[in-house]
Amino acid sequence: MEHVAMEIETLLARLTDVVEAMEAYLASNAAASGNPTMAHTLERHSEILNDYKREFRKRKGTMTLGRDHHELVGGGRVKDKTDSVDSKGHDALYAERAAVTGANNAVDNTLSQGNTLREQLENQRAMFSSMMTRMESVSGSMPSISKLINQIKHKRRRDVLVLGLTVAVLVVITIFWKIL
């Protein structure tokens, strides 16, 4: 990584020299300095150079922080291929860390899906409540619709009861299965 960083720094220095040479050329050449296209090109190259430098400093800082964090979490020593005694222990710790990270990510994904499902169910409940309110207002004016709404309510109560009993039976079976 150090080699790549040094190579990028060298390239940025060369690009800086090129931009400075362009500035010197525009300053010394009267015909070129009056050309707005050349001035705009120089300005754009300067902006790009500054963006590259800023991005490089940001990435280099991030890499340094990551390496420092790795050294701190990893016990301050870099894994060496010549280690044979401690290598198995460290490999096991790395594998354990990877497993814990994977489990955390899976739990986060599951919780995210659960929250999304809960929001969708709440929206659905609100929609059905508004539909029922509208149906009740219409049913007041028409008795046959009132009878139909009562039948729907009765069926809904029965469905909720069946669902509740099913969940209760499954919970009891699960508890007995865990005990035995």
Side-chain angles (χ1 to χ4, degrees):
M1 287 311 258
E2 304 296 328
H3 175 69
V4 173
M6 289 178 16
E7 185 177 341
I8 291 173
E9 286 174 348
T10 304
L11 292 172
L12 284 174
R14 285 178 50 195
L15 186 57
T16 302
D17 293 342
V18 169
V19 170
E20 288 173 355
M22 288 172 64
E23 289 174 351
Y25 175 75
L26 279 178
S28 66
N29 192 341
S33 63
N35 188 346
T37 305
M38 292 186 132
H40 177 71
T41 302
L42 173 64
E43 182 181 333
R44 184 66 186 134
H45 279 70
S46 296
E47 290 173 359
I48 291 171
L49 173 63
N50 290 333
D51 288 344
Y52 283 163
K53 285 182 178 179
R54 188 177 324 112
E55 188 68 24
F56 175 70
R57 284 192 302 267
K58 188 168 101 175
R59 299 292 179 196
K60 187 175 179 183
T62 302
M63 292 297 293
T64 303
L65 286 174
R67 184 178 46 231
D68 291 346
H69 177 74
H70 176 71
E71 288 175 2
L72 178 64
V73 172
R77 75 182 198 98
V78 178
K79 190 175 174 184
D80 189 38
K81 291 182 180 179
T82 60
D83 282 347
S84 60
V85 178
D86 289 335
S87 143
K88 290 181 183 177
H90 288 287
D91 287 342
L93 289 175
Y94 289 132
E96 183 69 23
R97 184 184 307 156
V100 168
T101 302
N104 284 340
N105 290 339
V107 167
D108 288 342
N109 288 337
T110 304
L111 289 175
S112 171
Q113 289 173 354
N115 285 333
T116 304
L117 180 62
R118 186 193 73 211
E119 290 171 1
Q120 290 174 351
L121 288 174
E122 287 173 352
N123 289 338
Q124 189 178 24
R125 181 191 312 152
M127 183 178 65
F128 283 136
S129 294
S130 68
M131 284 177 19
M132 287 303 292
T133 303
R134 280 186 255 149
M135 291 293 283
E136 287 172 355
S137 66
V138 170
S139 72
S141 62
M142 298 180 178
S144 61
I145 293 178
S146 176
K147 182 179 176 184
L148 179 65
I149 289 175
N150 287 334
Q151 288 175 347
I152 291 172
K153 283 182 182 180
H154 178 68
K155 185 176 185 319
R156 191 176 113 207
R157 280 190 212 119
R158 188 183 68 211
D159 289 347
V160 168
L161 181 64
V162 168
L163 182 64
L165 288 174
T166 304
V167 169
V169 168
L170 290 175
V171 167
V172 168
I173 290 172
T174 304
I175 290 172
F176 281 132
W177 180 67
K178 288 289 185 178
I179 291 175
L180 299 178

